Amino acid sequence: MRTEAIIFDMDGTMVDSMPWHSRAWGEFARRRAVPIDLPDFMSRTTGRNGAECLHELLGRALVQDEVDALTREKEDIYRELFAPHFAEVAGFRRFAAEVAERGLKVAVGTAGDIHSVRFVLSQLGMEPAPLAIVRGDEGLPGKPRPDIFLEAARRIAAQPAHCIVFEDAPFGIEAARRAGMRAVAICSTHSAQELAGPHVLAAVRDYTELMNTDFLERIHVATA
């Protein structure tokens, strides 16, 4: 199968941020005296957009202004917690640079909002920058729906079947399958068994491990 584009999820895939998102949701719920079972909540929401996560936590529908304000509050907590410990998933920047050097298009498809995207990209300093970024605050349904990944492919003029998605969460792996895309499982927060699927080409702890398998050398890169 030819490959013309790579689509990266962001949290847990580009940066090692998921423990800090979990802590941020815990702190957000504590401030509002809302009971939360963090492992269960994270398993039900990782990859979903802000409105969907808030609906799961609060158990009610919210108007858009409320969604925006509450999402911003939670994401502010997350950035405050993560900033002193900011770290990429090992080898990410080097791998992303090698992807671009081979002529593959690069996009990001994330449930994160614009503020967290700007925060991560400013800290990472990706060079070159992604050709397109699709966010969870753009009105698209979150994962496991395929919409975010399909929109990322559309924006970079890539056929879904010619895209490989990099994901760390079960909902993201499923979203790639529904989009008709292949996937690579980054096992930073979930096991290879939890991220398995017939469309999953590899399951690795990080990009350093992936590069040691000569992954890019083995895929059929088509840039025409």
Side-chain angles (χ1 to χ4, degrees), residues 95-171:
F95 179 79
E98 290 189 8
V99 165
E101 286 173 6
R102 290 176 178 273
L104 289 161
K105 300 174 182 178
V106 175
V108 175
T110 175
D113 71 354
I114 188 170
H115 306 290
S116 288
V117 168
R118 287 173 176 169
F119 164 72
V120 166
L121 292 183
S122 69
Q123 295 287 323
L124 274 179
M126 281 181 70
E127 189 61 45
L131 296 176
I133 301 169
V134 182
R135 307 184 313 270
D137 59 350
E138 295 188 60
L140 295 170
K143 305 160 191 176
R145 291 275 297 275
D147 303 60
I148 287 175
F149 291 147
L150 289 172
E151 177 61 14
R154 187 193 69 79
R155 291 185 190 180
I156 60 175
Q159 293 295 318
H162 299 161
C163 297
I164 300 176
V165 167
F166 283 67
E167 260 287 354
D168 73 303
F171 279 177

Side-chain angles (χ1 to χ4, degrees), residues 4-15:
E4 58 179 314
I6 301 293
I7 303 175
F8 294 106
D9 170 53
M10 185 174 73
D11 290 298
T13 301
M14 294 165 57
V15 291

